[in-house]
Amino acid sequence: MCARSSSSRERSHPWGPGLAPCALSGPASGARGQLSPGSGGDRGCNSMTLEAIRYSRGSLQILDQLLLPQQSRYEAVGSVRQAWEAIRAMKQVRGAPAIALVGCLSLAVELQAGAGGPGLAALVAFVRDALSFLVTARPTAVNMARAARDLADLAAQEAEREGATEEAVRERVIRWTEDMLAKDLRDNRSIGDLGAHHLLERAAPQGGKVIVLTHCNTGALATAGYGTALGVIRSLHSLGRLDYAFCTETRPYNQGARLTAFEFVYEQIPATLIADSMAAAAMAHYGVSAVVVGADRVVANGDTANKVGTYQLAIAAKHHGIPFYVAAPSSSCDLHLKTGREIIIEERPGQELTHVNGVRIAAPGIGVWNPAFDVTPHDLITGGIITELGVFAPEELRAALGATVTLGGPQK
């Protein structure tokens, strides 16, 4: 391991003069639309929080994240087909928890409008087929597949109850999706608080502030709110223990530059944006205390699929002796798969790499490999896997979650 210089923490903050904490006041001027105020909890200097998903019975709206940070505009989703398209195109929806939420809530909207039936058998078949279709949008994240299995089973069980009616089954499915939305927010807050305290005990046992590096977007824009890895950073900030955060730009889709940076600025959390290729240098020269990332699928041995680029961060963190954490809800843990070699890795269109805003930046004719995710081996996850149920070493995961989390179903 490479020892870090004791003087690295004494360097001037890389955000430079004039960008101290709380120097900014919400979204960039000229942004279209309004981003809703949050409720409850200490959010630091700004009480406004972001919403990727707006839901009320019979209505679903999602934030068009491709327009951020220039505009904030919500678009209505009135059908499962529209949700599938938004998930697949990564236009308004990305992040494993949000994918499952938007998919299931789109089904609730259709059911509220009277889709499915007539008759119990037809209604159950409609629910099952709609959920199976949603799973095909993005196969690597396990949350949608798990939710689809559980919700389809629920619909079938409710239909078999003595005296069951189409109206009762429809209502039960809708309520399940609404409960899922509320649970995700509760779980994220638990992940944030548990992760923050564990990280501080590991990286700053004598007190003081920490510097955290994160990758991609794992905040309110990828979940029901608060976030997973970004939730840990939020909790550190609320505790007054965050010096600042590094966020990677996350090529080729730039979720870090477009979304994570936007969340940091919006909530006035001190942070610095770096290119993906600068992460190891930041660890070497700026005293990074810990790396915290999210996950789209964590398997039984602790191997973790997350946004491509995560693997190399874990290698660099281990070299520098920096704790590497994965933050994910238990719904992202798939104990059915033994190792990361079994995870299906989605490959995205080459145009995402060769073009920026529709303009080609790469030489015509060049070959492109564009996997959306990579797999980080469990032995590189040196800090732990942070869930709403606790923080576990990778080798503890199966035993810790086995009693409370049912086995994930096979990938579709």
Side-chain angles (χ1 to χ4, degrees):
M1 293 184 181
C2 177
R4 286 173 286 163
S5 168
S6 60
S7 63
S8 61
R9 288 184 181 275
E10 298 174 4
R11 291 175 179 265
S12 61
H13 284 182
W15 59 72
L19 278 179
C22 302
L24 300 166
S25 56
S29 60
R32 294 177 56 187
Q34 292 293 321
L35 295 170
S36 297
S39 58
D42 179 11
R43 295 287 185 159
C45 303
N46 191 352
S47 62
M48 303 289 284
T49 57
L50 298 171
E51 284 184 308
I53 302 167
R54 288 178 172 175
Y55 173 81
S56 60
R57 181 65 70 96
S59 173
L60 174 62
Q61 293 181 314
I62 53 179
L63 183 65
D64 189 337
Q65 299 187 17
L66 283 186
L67 298 179
L68 291 176
Q70 287 79 18
Q71 301 178 29
S72 56
R73 186 175 71 199
Y74 289 84
E75 295 190 8
V77 175
S79 69
V80 167
R81 165 63 70 173
Q82 286 180 320
W84 187 95
E85 292 172 350
I87 293 168
R88 180 62 187 168
M90 295 176 63
K91 181 181 180 183
Q92 297 101 341
V93 186
R94 12 84 39 220
I99 287 170
L101 288 168
V102 169
C104 291
L105 289 170
S106 71
L107 174 60
V109 169
E110 279 210 49
L111 291 173
Q112 182 66 25
L120 284 171
L123 177 60
V124 170
F126 173 79
V127 170
R128 182 187 62 246
D129 292 347
L131 291 166
S132 295
F133 175 61
L134 285 163
V135 170
T136 67
R138 300 197 69 196
T140 301
V142 70
N143 304 57
M144 186 66 242
R146 183 186 301 279
R149 182 201 63 200
D150 292 347
L151 189 49
D153 288 348
L154 173 77
Q157 292 166 7
E158 291 294 319
E160 291 173 359
R161 288 182 181 273
E162 184 176 352
T165 65
E166 184 180 328
E167 180 181 359
V169 173
R170 188 184 302 273
E171 175 66 18
R172 184 70 182 90
V173 171
I174 293 173
R175 283 190 176 275
W176 190 94
T177 66
E178 293 171 346
D179 291 344
M180 179 183 176
L181 183 64
K183 183 180 185 301
D184 186 71
L185 182 55
R186 292 195 305 271
D187 288 351
N188 290 341
R189 290 185 178 276
S190 294
I191 289 168
D193 292 343
L194 289 168
H197 285 97
H198 193 282
L199 188 156
L200 290 171
E201 290 174 3
R202 174 74 179 273
Q206 304 303 318
K209 295 186 176 183
V210 294
I211 300 169
V212 179
L213 188 150
T214 192
H215 185 54
C216 198
N217 177 254
T218 57
L221 296 176
T223 63
Y226 205 71
T228 53
L230 198 51
V232 175
I233 294 173
R234 278 192 170 89
S235 292
L236 289 167
H237 182 54
S238 295
L239 291 169
R241 301 290 301 277
L242 178 71
D243 193 353
Y244 61 93
F246 281 110
C247 62
T248 59
E249 63 176 345
T250 321
R251 282 280 291 149
Y253 224 68
N254 295 313
Q255 295 98 320
R258 291 188 299 107
L259 306 177
T260 301
F262 183 80
E263 292 202 45
F264 281 143
V265 171
Y266 191 86
E267 298 203 27
Q268 299 173 5
I269 296 173
T272 296
L273 175 67
I274 58 174
D276 298 351
S277 55
M278 299 173 187
M283 294 179 196
H285 299 298
Y286 280 102
V288 173
S289 310
V291 178
V292 186
V293 301
D296 287 79
R297 189 181 292 247
V298 183
V299 300
N301 74 339
D303 291 352
T304 296
N306 191 50
K307 182 56 56 183
V308 69
T310 301
Y311 182 20
Q312 63 195 24
L313 289 178
I315 293 171
K318 190 163 188 178
H319 175 75
H320 290 92
I322 296 171
F324 185 93
Y325 287 89
V326 169
S330 59
S331 59
S332 294
C333 298
D334 184 357
L335 304 184
H336 178 270
L337 300 186
K338 294 180 180 179
T339 74
R341 291 190 296 272
E342 300 176 64
I343 300 174
I344 296 172
I345 298 299
E346 174 190 358
E347 294 198 15
R348 303 286 301 172
Q351 188 174 1
E352 293 178 357
L353 198 58
T354 60
H355 291 66
V356 173
N357 293 328
V359 177
R360 175 176 278 277
I361 61 170
I366 189 68
V368 175
W369 180 51
N370 186 22
F373 307 94
D374 58 25
V375 175
T376 298
H378 62 276
D379 59 345
L380 295 178
I381 303 172
T382 55
I385 298 172
I386 307 165
T387 76
E388 77 278 12
L389 303 173
V391 183
F392 308 106
E395 62 270 18
E396 300 171 339
L397 189 68
R398 177 185 280 276
L401 301 187
T404 54
V405 179
T406 56
L407 293 179
Q411 292 180 262
K412 305 295 183 182

